[in-house]
Amino acid sequence: MKKLWTIAWKELYVRFTDRNLMLIMIATPLALSTIMGLAFGGLGGGSSPVTRIPVLVVNHDAGSEFGVNYGDIFLSILVPGTDGAAAAGELPACSLDGGTKTGTESDQFSLQELTAAQAFGAEQAEALVREGSIPAPAADPGSAAYVDSAARSAVERGLYAAAIIIPEDFSRQLSFSPASPDTGRTQVTVYADPGRPISAGIIGSIARGITNQIATGNIAIAATLGELQASLGGPAMGQAAANIDFASAFACAFDPGSSTISIDRQMVRRAQQENRAALVLVVVGSAQAMFFAMFTAQFGVLNMHWERRGWTLQRMLISPTPRSIIMGGKLVGVFISVVSQLVVLLLALTLVGSLLQGRFILIWGDQPLLILIAILAASLAVSGFGMLLAGLVKSPEQASVFTSALNIGLAALGGSFGFTLPKAISQLSMVYWGRTTFEMLAVGNSDIWVNVLVLVLQGAVMYAIGLLLFNRRFENV
Amino acid sequence: METMVEIKDLTKTFKRPDGTPIQAVKGISLDIYKGEIFSLLGPNGAGKTTTISMISGLIEPTAGDAKIGGYSIREQPIKAKQLMGVIPQEVALYPQLTARQNLEFFGKMYGLWGKELNRRVDEVLELIGLTDRQKDRVQTYSGGMKRRVNIGVGLLHRPALVYMDEPTVGIDPQSRRRILDTVLQLRDEYGMTVLYTTHLMEEAQELSDRVGIIDHGDIIALGTQGELIQQVGEQDRLILNVGRQPVSAELLKELQDHIEGVTHAMYDPPGSGENSHSDRGLITVTATRGRRALPEILHRIAEAGLEVQSVEVREPDLEAVFLNLTGRALRD
Ligand SMILES: Nc1ncnc2c1ncn2[C@@H]1O[C@H](COP(=O)(O)OP(=O)(O)OP(=O)(O)O)[C@@H](O)[C@H]1O
Ligand SMILES: [Mg+2]
């Protein structure tokens, strides 16, 4: 065992004292992520890499007894131009098309930039089924269950990043009623594509934000109405509530220039600002980290070919050291190299994110144990891949011919280069699984176990096959 | 005489990429005695490295076995390996590490740790004369210095037996001299047993107590130098330099067939093989009592219209043994 650690340590020492290698392993991905972070997230201007998230909004809201339909308002905030019952088509001037934004506020997201929302009803559901994009739901066509199920399938198929389902009792529960001054509980459901955790996270927080604003808006209104009631008395208040222009009130809540409901607006703005640079760093950084980790792992394992060429491998083999210890030491060394690389990269990106933000933030989320598990799983997967390659190639030259191409291909598949492919294709790449694990943790989603399992299984299988091939090929060293 | 290495019917058959077999070592058997320098002498591709690889446990023999100090390399490889130090033909070092780091790393592979390791490393650095350069990375060393470190690594654990595979290839005469002296020192001062491979007759001649001549995977002669040379009898070698003049095959045949005492005649054109002199064409004639045949040889060459520029007469040596056995020069 002492010998195994000696070999692993030598591996690490040689790796981490090589300045060129450090440049490739750490500095390059860090610089790339930072540049992209600056370009897209940090110093204003530019567009976010996460823009126009395709999202469906299903509105089942039946309205309240006062004729107010918060569901329609919700919908019209996300999908401008929808017939909000209260707004009767036209949104106020402070709507979300970005037109009222001024130069100083250009570093803000507008919902318009961020999402490409679409109202989704029975008609759209049937259209999707007709064109064969989704399977026909089991429920009756036209029923709420049918539409919900269709929306869910559309997300599962990767057609949309998320679907927001507004329930039938949404307005009823939120409406202030003199009989029960507390607003009720209601549930907005968000179906999200776990393959696009950032988008899903954004949609989730948008849905939560809008719902909160409607709810808090109602509390404010309730207070006002309470005063009205006290001063006026009588049943006029129901009528009064119905006359308030909710659409413009809530729409303006998202406009920086508006001061209608200032507290809520502040909240939403701050949340998005906070996320902006960090989000870019997370999206770009996790993909880059996976991409460069593959190189580190391959470089490390393929190094066995070079050691064979340079006879240092033979020199170890003729010492009284079992072959399994030698291979084990090398592989442990490679694994620790990759883990260290990922740890350093994640820490450095946290630092960059904090600098861009002007204060310390944990861009990878606040679950260190899960982050560590994600790092270990990702390292296992990429080193397994390295081992497989080392077993497949005859010589290091042969390897260098196609590993770069292979890595770039896998990274592109996995979404490292800014464009996303259909999920079913992306999932072939371990970069996808690694990247999405880190993104999930970054947005506070701790349900990473499927990803971890996939990474660990991929790693283990590739390790086994690679070792078998390698040993068979080099029986005679 | 106590036996250190006992090689029995050792065979290695490789597969070429196209699947055809190539017999690199063809069932050789020999013993190496404790405390001797044994040379394995043979031309390129004779099977020297393959033999060493098998008896050091690096590659599995196709057939046969070797016992090192009584331990079978196939059955008890770890015990056997502990007894031997191997100095590979290639410089097998980590260029990014210093000489000391290299020595320490491989020392640990031989189970040396702590103070003991430090002492041995210091000793070896002293022996190879690199104490003052120990903190420099090996990649900054000259070829000769790398070779010395390469040797040092094999001696760290004070093995009773050392394999040296062509340790002097491609280095300057001064470093070669140093290495040959070290080999003799290992036997004389440390009582080590040395298996030394080379394709240079002079080295085998200077170093060895006994010699095995290997060719095409076979041991074709084995014994002390005296015994081997006796096999050739009174054969002298006459080496005639004819410069850049062309030499015909008819002339060689005439020399070989029509002069009494001549057993063999061959020609090395300028710049061929080990004959690196670009302006020296050499006719080598092997003859019993060569001095007596010389006038006749010179006469025939003159008749062929060639002018002999210089003549050298060599007493029987290992080169002659090889020539006698194979009809080829070692340097081919
Ligand atoms: N791994 C291998 N696969 C196939 N053939 C091999 C392999 N190793 C050696 N050979 C062949 O076996 C023969 C003996 O090679 P070996 O290296 O033992 O010769 P050598 O005596 O050490 O020569 P040199 O003086 O050039 O080092 C050669 O023909 C060589 O091509
Ligand atoms: Mg050799």
Side-chain angles (χ1 to χ4, degrees), chain B residues 45-302:
Chain B
K48 302 183 294 291
T49 300
T50 306
T51 303
I52 288 211
S53 295
M54 285 191 284
I55 62 177
S56 56
L58 186 57
I59 61 178
E60 185 86 351
T62 311
D65 196 2
K67 284 205 173 106
I68 318 295
Y71 299 114
S72 156
I73 193 69
R74 303 188 86 159
E75 311 296 332
Q76 296 152 290
I78 300 287
K79 283 234 164 76
K81 284 170 174 180
Q82 194 71 54
L83 296 177
M84 61 174 95
V86 184
I87 293 149
Q89 184 167 356
E90 314 287 328
V91 173
L93 301 169
Y94 295 104
Q96 314 93 319
L97 302 184
T98 66
R100 190 174 189 94
Q101 285 169 331
N102 268 290
L103 288 166
E104 284 173 349
F105 175 73
F106 287 112
K108 288 174 184 169
M109 291 300 107
Y110 280 89
L112 299 170
W113 308 93
K115 281 211 185 84
E116 177 73 358
L117 176 65
N118 268 328
R119 220 184 42 241
R120 298 286 179 89
V121 169
D122 289 338
E123 251 174 47
V124 164
L125 283 168
E126 193 70 39
L127 179 76
I128 60 177
L130 284 172
T131 305
D132 49 339
R133 291 291 304 270
Q134 57 172 299
K135 295 252 166 71
D136 293 343
R137 289 174 168 222
V138 166
Q139 62 197 12
T140 66
Y141 284 13
S142 71
M145 290 161 74
K146 285 180 193 165
R147 284 258 164 217
R148 270 141 67 190
V149 182
N150 198 42
I151 292 173
V153 170
L155 302 176
L156 266 175
H157 63 296
R158 290 197 200 132
L161 167 69
V162 182
Y163 301 149
M164 291 185 150
D165 196 0
E166 306 204 42
T168 59
V169 166
I171 56 170
D172 57 286
Q174 203 186 335
S175 297
R176 157 180 284 174
R177 190 62 255 158
R178 242 199 114 100
I179 289 173
L180 295 181
D181 288 342
T182 307
V183 176
L184 292 168
Q185 195 184 352
L186 292 181
R187 176 191 62 189
D188 300 338
E189 286 177 28
Y190 298 85
M192 291 179 181
T193 308
V194 180
L195 169 60
Y196 189 98
T197 80
T198 181
H199 65 278
L200 299 174
M201 184 268 303
E202 299 86 345
E203 286 190 355
Q205 206 146 293
E206 171 174 353
L207 296 175
S208 359
D209 297 306
R210 289 192 310 138
V211 182
I213 298 183
I214 184 168
D215 188 37
H216 296 308
D218 260 331
I219 298 283
I220 55 174
L222 181 71
T224 62
Q225 295 191 45
E227 286 164 0
L228 292 182
I229 289 163
Q230 255 180 9
Q231 289 183 5
V232 199
E234 292 291 289
Q235 297 231 324
D236 294 319
R237 270 186 310 141
L238 310 171
I239 298 169
L240 306 112
N241 176 13
V242 292
R244 299 176 144 276
Q245 305 164 79
V247 175
S248 66
E250 289 83 53
L251 173 62
L252 292 177
K253 194 163 166 40
E254 195 184 317
L255 294 177
Q256 190 169 321
D257 297 348
H258 299 293
I259 301 177
E260 204 195 324
V262 172
T263 52
H264 192 77
M266 55 180 277
Y267 173 62
D268 286 318
S272 67
E274 290 271 317
N275 180 9
S276 52
H277 297 273
S278 56
D279 51 3
R280 272 177 46 177
L282 299 178
I283 298 175
T284 304
V285 181
T286 314
T288 4
R289 274 160 292 148
R291 282 186 178 80
R292 294 232 322 249
L294 187 57
E296 178 69 11
I297 292 167
L298 288 172
H299 177 69
R300 297 273 176 146
I301 292 177

Side-chain angles (χ1 to χ4, degrees), chain A residues 227-296:
Chain A
E227 277 171 34
L228 274 177
Q229 189 181 30
S231 57
L232 297 175
M237 59 192 174
Q239 200 56 39
N243 287 340
I244 296 173
D245 180 2
F246 285 106
S248 62
F250 293 123
C252 287
F254 290 92
D255 184 86
S258 157
S259 60
T260 323
I261 308 176
S262 58
I263 305 156
D264 300 333
R265 187 192 66 213
Q266 285 302 324
M267 187 192 76
V268 171
R269 263 178 59 186
R270 230 190 40 230
Q272 287 178 353
Q273 259 183 333
E274 215 171 57
N275 282 340
R276 182 149 190 174
L279 274 181
V280 181
L281 284 178
V282 166
V283 172
V284 179
S286 60
Q288 294 286 326
M290 283 301 289
F291 182 47
F292 282 90
M294 290 203 294
F295 280 103
T296 304

Side-chain angles (χ1 to χ4, degrees), chain A residues 97-132:
Chain A
D97 57 14
T100 59
K101 285 200 292 183
T102 64
T104 53
E105 286 150 353
S106 64
D107 62 332
Q108 317 249 329
F109 273 131
S110 81
L111 279 181
Q112 277 282 288
E113 264 177 67
L114 206 54
T115 63
Q118 220 176 302
F120 192 76
E123 207 178 296
Q124 288 85 351
E126 277 164 33
L128 279 184
V129 172
R130 251 198 322 280
E131 69 192 34

Side-chain angles (χ1 to χ4, degrees), chain A residues 2-4 6-11 13-14 17-18 303 307 309-323 326 330 394 475-477, chain B residues 12 14 49 53 56-60 78 81-82 84 86-88 90-94 96-97 101 105-106 108-111 113 137 150-151 153-154:
Chain A
K2 232 161 138 192
K3 286 185 184 177
L4 190 145
T6 303
I7 295 170
W9 170 249
K10 190 241 19 175
E11 201 63 22
Y13 181 88
V14 169
T17 48
D18 184 335
N303 188 252
E307 283 219 31
R309 183 79 54 88
W311 266 74
T312 45
L313 179 64
Q314 286 89 324
R315 187 152 230 168
M316 280 191 261
L317 286 167
I318 47 191
S319 74
T321 311
R323 193 186 172 100
I326 296 168
K330 295 229 56 144
K394 271 206 194 75
E475 258 165 352
N476 285 321
V477 181
Chain B
K12 184 70 196 181
F14 289 115
T49 300
S53 295
S56 56
L58 186 57
I59 61 178
E60 185 86 351
I78 300 287
K81 284 170 174 180
Q82 194 71 54
M84 61 174 95
V86 184
I87 293 149
E90 314 287 328
V91 173
L93 301 169
Y94 295 104
Q96 314 93 319
L97 302 184
Q101 285 169 331
F105 175 73
F106 287 112
K108 288 174 184 169
M109 291 300 107
Y110 280 89
W113 308 93
R137 289 174 168 222
N150 198 42
I151 292 173
V153 170

